[in-house]
């Protein structure tokens, strides 16, 4: 239960945050038992009319678009809004992180730029709903966002975190690469542009989400790669660090435990 989880987190002197994925597009069969009935019932509200059953295992653009929902559809936005408001209203989380990196596909490819205002309005409406929930609480509900690695990449997928923070300050903005040092469907390695975000939003807390190292065969390699990227982000002015998929080394062919000692190293900085 989430309430028990948050209680235990607080007992350890930390805050309990919910990370909410804004457009899940992992490969799942249409009849997968955990697939949303909303998603299953409305194939016409996805970003592509392609059959996701035929694209299981496909993480290319055609596969992702066949699974991701289209935020240009009012019913899609209403559904996502209701999901977020329900879970935040029911459970006592200290903060909400909106994860726009899972997955960075919100509008049809030829309709992205014209729909940026729609996403901006979605954020404004969501903040108003969260204000209503806040009215019954004694502690402020914090809100942060996880977004693509650069401001240009954000706009390329229909996101404008500069407008979001200017309209109403966020508790943090955390750019991240998509997976193993790459951005989704962009050739070549990517890097988190902390400096670019800080230049555009000098008053905003800019964090950096450090993900899986591209190559790591042991806990020692894993820790060294994460430490390097963390040091790079902090040197660029990051106000905080998040670790994404830190535990997944337990699922690799050569399984090993996450290098938990690294967390103390990061905190000591």
């Amino acid at each position: 239960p989430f309430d028990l989880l948050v209680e235990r987190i607080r007992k350890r002197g930390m805050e309990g945050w919910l990370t909410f994925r804004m457009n899940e597009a992992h490969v799942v069969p249409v009849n997968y038992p955990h697939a949303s009935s909303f998603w299953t019932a409305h194939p016409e509200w996805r970003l592509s009319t392609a059959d996701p059953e035929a694209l299981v295992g496909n993480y290319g653009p055609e596969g992702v678009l066949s699974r991701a929902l289209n935020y240009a559809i009012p019913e899609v936005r209403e559904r996502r809004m209701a999901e977020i408001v329900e879970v935040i209203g029911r459970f006592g989380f200290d903060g909400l992180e909106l994860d726009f990196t899972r997955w960075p596909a919100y509008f049809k490819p030829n309709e992205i730029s014209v729909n940026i205002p729609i996403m901006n309005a979605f954020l404004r409406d969501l903040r108003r709903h969260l204000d209503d929930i806040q009215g019954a609480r004694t502690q402020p509900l914090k809100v942060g966002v996880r977004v693509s690695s650069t401001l240009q990449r954000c706009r390329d997928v229909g996101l404008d975190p500069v407008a979001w923070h200017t309209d109403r300050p966020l508790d943090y903005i955390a750019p991240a690469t998509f997976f193993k040092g790459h951005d989704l469907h962009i050739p070549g390695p990517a890097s988190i542009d902390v400096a670019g975000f800080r230049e555009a939003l000098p008053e905003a807390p800019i964090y950096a989400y450090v993900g899986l190292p591209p190559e790591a065969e042991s806990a020692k390699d894993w820790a060294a790669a994460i430490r390097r990227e963390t040091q790079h982000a902090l040197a660029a002015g990051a106000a905080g660090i998040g670790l994404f998929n830190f535990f997944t080394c337990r699922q690799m062919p050569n399984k090993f435990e996450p290098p938990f000692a690294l967390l103390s190293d990061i905190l000591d900085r």
Side-chain angles (χ1 to χ4, degrees), residues 172-189:
Y172 67 80
I173 298 169
T177 56
F178 179 75
F179 188 67
K180 289 190 173 183
H182 292 76
D183 284 332
L184 184 64
H185 303 151
I186 303 296

Side-chain angles (χ1 to χ4, degrees), residues 47-108:
L47 290 174
S48 166
T49 58
D51 178 10
E53 249 345 289
L55 293 166
V56 170
N58 185 321
Y59 283 104
E62 63 275 19
V64 171
L65 295 178
S66 76
R67 297 184 291 271
L69 291 168
N70 184 357
Y71 270 65
I73 305 297
E75 289 85 352
V76 169
R77 300 194 303 276
E78 290 166 8
R79 171 71 178 210
R80 190 64 78 236
M81 186 88 66
E83 291 169 343
I84 296 170
V85 169
E86 177 182 354
V87 72
I88 291 297
R90 287 180 60 188
F91 304 106
F93 291 103
D94 298 302
L96 167 67
E97 178 185 82
L98 304 174
D99 181 4
F100 287 95
T101 69
R102 286 298 180 273
W103 287 50
Y106 296 94
F107 304 106
K108 293 184 177 181

Side-chain angles (χ1 to χ4, degrees), residues 93-184:
F93 291 103
D94 298 302
L96 167 67
E97 178 185 82
L98 304 174
D99 181 4
F100 287 95
T101 69
R102 286 298 180 273
W103 287 50
Y106 296 94
F107 304 106
K108 293 184 177 181
N110 62 339
E111 299 176 357
I112 292 174
S113 60
V114 297
N115 279 315
I116 288 177
I118 285 180
M119 188 63 84
N120 292 349
F122 176 86
L123 264 289
R124 285 194 297 271
D125 291 344
L126 176 58
R127 300 295 295 274
R128 283 194 287 266
H129 282 293
L130 295 177
D131 284 343
D132 294 337
I133 297 171
Q134 174 65 63
R137 299 188 177 203
T138 57
Q139 297 296 322
L141 175 67
K142 300 177 181 179
V143 181
V145 295
R146 189 188 316 186
V147 294
S148 297
S149 60
T150 71
L151 285 171
Q152 184 58 56
R153 178 62 179 146
C154 289
R155 293 191 65 84
D156 288 344
V157 297
L159 311 177
D160 189 355
V162 173
W164 304 345
H165 187 77
T166 302
D167 183 61
R168 183 168 178 182
L170 293 153
D171 287 284
Y172 67 80
I173 298 169
T177 56
F178 179 75
F179 188 67
K180 289 190 173 183
H182 292 76
D183 284 332
L184 184 64

Side-chain angles (χ1 to χ4, degrees), residues 177 179-181 192 208-235 238 240-250 252 256-267 269:
T177 56
F179 188 67
K180 289 190 173 183
I192 300 170
Y209 256 102
V210 177
L212 298 181
E215 300 293 339
E217 300 299 326
S218 67
K220 181 179 179 180
D221 293 342
W222 193 277
I226 292 175
R227 186 178 287 108
R228 283 195 301 271
E229 189 166 353
T230 295
Q231 291 172 344
H232 178 76
L234 292 173
I241 298 293
L243 299 178
F244 179 62
N245 274 352
F246 185 65
F247 62 91
T248 55
C249 49
R250 291 170 170 164
M252 297 173 69
F256 53 86
E257 280 296 291
F260 290 111
L262 176 64
L263 302 180
S264 296
D265 293 346
I266 295 173
L267 289 172
R269 294 183 61 86

